[in-house]
Amino acid sequence: MVASKRISVVGHSSSQDKKRAKRRIQEIEKEAAIRTLNGNGQSPNLPPLPKEDDGKGLGTLFSHPYGALPFGNIFLASSDAVRHNGLGDIRPLNDEQVLSVMQFLDAEALARTAETSRFLYVAAHHDELWRDVTLRKYGSNGFDFKASWKDTYSLTQLKTDKNEIEFISHKPIAMKGIYSDTFFRSWLCRSFALQESWLAVENVCTEKSDELTLDKFLTDYEEKNIPLIVKGATSSWPASKKWNKSYLTKETQGVTFRATSGAAPLPAKFNMKSYADYCDSATEEAPLYLFDRTFSQTCPKLLSDFAGSLKSSCPFFDDDAAHGHDLFSLLGNGKRPDHRWIIIGPKRSGSSFHIDPNATHAWNAPIKGSKRWIFYPPGVSPPGVYPSPSGDDVIMPISLGEWYLSHWNDHVKQRKNPVKSKRPLECTVHPGDILFVPHGWWHCVLNLDDGMSIALTQNYVSASNLPDVLRFLK
């Protein structure tokens, strides 16, 4: 900005000179933005969006609530005046940096910032900013989610202060002239419509539960380390018939659960009813995901809803089976790693690409809601996933939405890999079925249905993967 002041006092006072000086100031501002991250609203580090896949274009659930458009639209506009005038002296910062600065603001400062200009109104309503201030202030105590994170914070604040002011839900105002890849892409990653072709491939092996013997499972799938869907294996479980919002709320009274997200700074505590309400209304790029390992102790009734049935319907997953299904149990309950979880999340939540810990196998049973799985064989990293040589650290997209939007075309190419053993596997697993997840496979999971998706999963060590487990633990 020093250079700008120098230009303003040099030269003649003619209007032409003033115009030249103004243009030069704008050029300096543009150059400063380019030096930071190659643009203001433009984000060159973001991968391109996928090409039309189903011939229908890239559909979305709803338009951007604050009117933001991709940066490329600026070339059809007369100017970027809304941003230029709305940011004042901080306009050399690009939009990612503006949001980074705003992460240091508390709720009151965010609300006041939103009143200063049209551009900052949009920036200060970036939903992740309100999520973060809510979690920092109320995440450890619990709260009731209300439509959006800003509404959630406001309502929780009123209740905490015992303020009798009438709560009025925030209604976004769409602003014209906002061109920002940063704002638009974050919204797109949480509002994209699932394309039919993303769900079309089904190439994971399947077996009917009443036809699958223990020997066949061990010989053809577990020992060969091949994913398998067992159809109808859980349809008779009491959990499959009883578990819904009202039942889980009743059976978990007095119990709080921890929900996390790779994009959130802190976990949040929910009771089951509050989390179910969150699942009904949350639309986020990386939703908070309930992944609880202690439910069998805190809510033993839930364990009884499936443990006995598992032994009869899936003898190959029986903890006490003679073939040595659960060897970690030999360590004792106080020393064995966590191994059993209840998993709950809203539509579009799930797990980004990962390999299950300790070289363990796993089974996963969706109780409510279907799940989309993508597998990559051991030693083959999925597109956009870059593990360190040791495997301890992984660089990947922060959300499933970003991976689907950014790397789907590369994934489709991988389906035609000339080496068949390196091709991915894909499937949709429905309630009533159970999925065998062999050790060492990269996999991601996307919840497809509205409302609360519920699943059970358990990791285990058996004779087939014991050598790899021992090598991993050395």
Side-chain angles (χ1 to χ4, degrees):
M1 298 309 296
V2 174
S4 301
K5 292 181 180 178
R6 289 175 60 189
I7 290 174
S8 67
V9 296
V10 174
H12 304 291
S13 59
S14 68
S15 63
Q16 188 174 3
D17 288 340
K18 289 180 179 179
K19 289 180 180 179
R20 276 199 295 267
K22 184 176 181 180
R23 282 198 298 271
R24 181 57 183 145
I25 291 171
Q26 292 173 342
E27 289 172 1
I28 291 172
E29 292 168 349
K30 183 177 179 180
E31 291 168 1
I34 291 173
R35 284 195 302 273
T36 54
L37 272 178
N38 274 344
N40 288 330
Q42 185 183 21
S43 296
N45 293 329
L46 293 174
L49 295 175
K51 299 175 182 177
E52 293 185 6
D53 198 55
D54 290 336
K56 303 175 183 177
L58 191 62
T60 56
L61 299 178
F62 50 87
S63 59
H64 193 288
Y66 297 96
L69 296 171
F71 182 77
N73 286 267
I74 197 172
F75 299 111
L76 302 177
S78 57
S79 70
D80 196 14
V82 174
R83 187 186 197 283
H84 182 90
N85 297 330
L87 285 181
D89 288 346
I90 67 168
R91 70 174 69 95
L93 300 179
N94 64 30
D95 293 351
E96 291 177 54
Q97 292 169 323
V98 170
L99 292 179
S100 294
V101 171
M102 296 176 77
Q103 287 176 353
F104 292 93
L105 303 180
D106 61 15
E108 182 178 356
L110 269 180
R112 291 187 180 278
T113 300
E115 297 174 345
T116 58
S117 72
R118 284 184 288 168
F119 189 87
L120 286 175
Y121 171 81
V122 176
H125 282 101
H126 198 65
D127 205 38
E128 284 76 4
L129 295 174
W130 286 97
R131 176 201 65 200
D132 292 356
V133 297
T134 303
L135 294 183
R136 288 192 183 103
K137 190 164 185 178
Y138 300 114
S140 60
N141 298 322
F143 53 85
D144 294 325
F145 188 80
K146 176 75 173 179
S148 71
W149 282 109
K150 184 176 183 181
D151 278 357
T152 300
Y153 182 92
S154 301
L155 187 60
T156 307
Q157 182 71 49
L158 288 175
K159 289 181 177 179
T160 302
D161 294 344
K162 297 181 179 180
N163 198 316
E164 296 183 0
I165 297 175
E166 180 184 0
F167 171 74
I168 300 176
S169 180
H170 169 69
K171 297 187 183 302
I173 302 173
M175 296 291 172
K176 293 183 178 180
I178 306 295
Y179 309 106
S180 171
D181 288 346
T182 299
F183 298 161
F184 184 83
R185 192 179 185 86
S186 175
W187 161 79
L188 181 62
C189 286
R190 63 176 181 263
S191 66
F192 66 91
L194 294 172
Q195 298 195 38
E196 294 175 4
S197 62
W198 295 356
L199 311 177
V201 173
E202 295 282 343
N203 57 2
V204 171
C205 296
T206 63
E207 296 278 359
K208 294 180 179 179
S209 63
D210 56 358
E211 298 176 359
L212 180 63
T213 65
L214 173 61
D215 287 342
K216 182 176 179 60
F217 172 78
L218 295 177
T219 303
D220 292 354
Y221 299 103
E222 189 177 275
E223 291 178 4
K224 293 180 179 179
N225 212 41
I226 297 173
L228 171 70
I229 302 172
V230 185
K231 306 291 290 184
T234 68
S235 57
S236 63
W237 291 9
S240 297
K241 300 174 181 179
K242 296 192 292 186
W243 284 16
N244 55 31
K245 179 178 178 179
S246 59
Y247 180 82
L248 292 183
T249 298
K250 177 184 176 183
E251 295 299 331
T252 61
Q253 286 184 4
V255 179
T256 57
F257 296 90
R258 185 174 181 266
T260 60
S261 165
L266 295 168
K269 287 185 178 179
F270 290 92
N271 60 40
M272 187 59 71
K273 182 181 183 305
S274 295
Y275 187 74
D277 291 341
Y278 169 80
C279 291
D280 288 339
S281 55
T283 305
E284 296 187 68
E285 179 178 357
L288 294 169
Y289 206 29
L290 193 156
F291 208 83
D292 191 88
R293 66 182 185 274
T294 63
F295 78 98
S296 58
Q297 291 84 47
T298 58
C299 310
K301 181 66 167 64
L302 300 186
L303 180 64
S304 68
D305 283 340
F306 72 91
S309 299
L310 176 69
K311 294 177 182 292
S312 57
S313 68
C314 305
F316 31 83
F317 295 142
D318 180 3
D319 293 348
D320 302 319
H323 67 278
H325 164 75
D326 185 25
L327 297 180
F328 263 158
S329 64
L330 299 175
L331 299 177
N333 289 330
K335 295 182 179 180
R336 70 173 301 163
D338 296 328
H339 67 294
R340 183 190 293 124
W341 293 267
I342 184 172
I343 310 171
I344 307 177
K347 186 175 183 177
R348 300 168 189 282
S349 64
S351 298
S352 297
F353 275 106
H354 65 284
I355 297 174
D356 281 351
N358 303 321
T360 54
H361 294 318
W363 58 259
N364 186 287
I367 304 300
K368 187 175 185 296
S370 299
K371 294 177 179 289
R372 183 66 182 176
W373 290 73
I374 298 178
F375 291 93
Y376 272 81
V380 181
S381 298
V385 177
Y386 306 99
S388 64
S390 66
D392 293 337
D393 299 300
V394 181
I395 298 174
M396 69 176 73
I398 198 169
S399 67
L400 285 168
E402 185 177 354
W403 186 86
Y404 271 90
L405 293 174
S406 301
H407 299 288
W408 183 256
N409 294 334
D410 293 330
H411 169 69
V412 171
K413 293 177 183 177
Q414 198 63 22
R415 289 172 174 169
K416 300 177 182 178
N417 192 306
V419 181
K420 190 174 181 180
S421 62
K422 294 185 177 181
R423 294 176 185 173
L425 299 178
E426 304 170 52
C427 64
T428 299
V429 186
H430 304 283
D433 303 336
I434 196 167
L435 175 69
F436 168 59
V437 183
H439 78 284
W441 285 69
W442 287 97
H443 53 278
C444 73
V445 192
L446 179 66
N447 291 318
L448 300 178
D449 295 337
D450 292 332
M452 186 168 64
S453 290
I454 309 168
L456 291 161
T457 191
Q458 184 164 317
N459 290 67
Y460 69 91
V461 180
S462 66
S464 64
N465 63 328
L466 180 60
D468 288 331
V469 172
L470 294 176
R471 278 192 294 271
F472 181 86
L473 294 177
K474 281 184 179 179

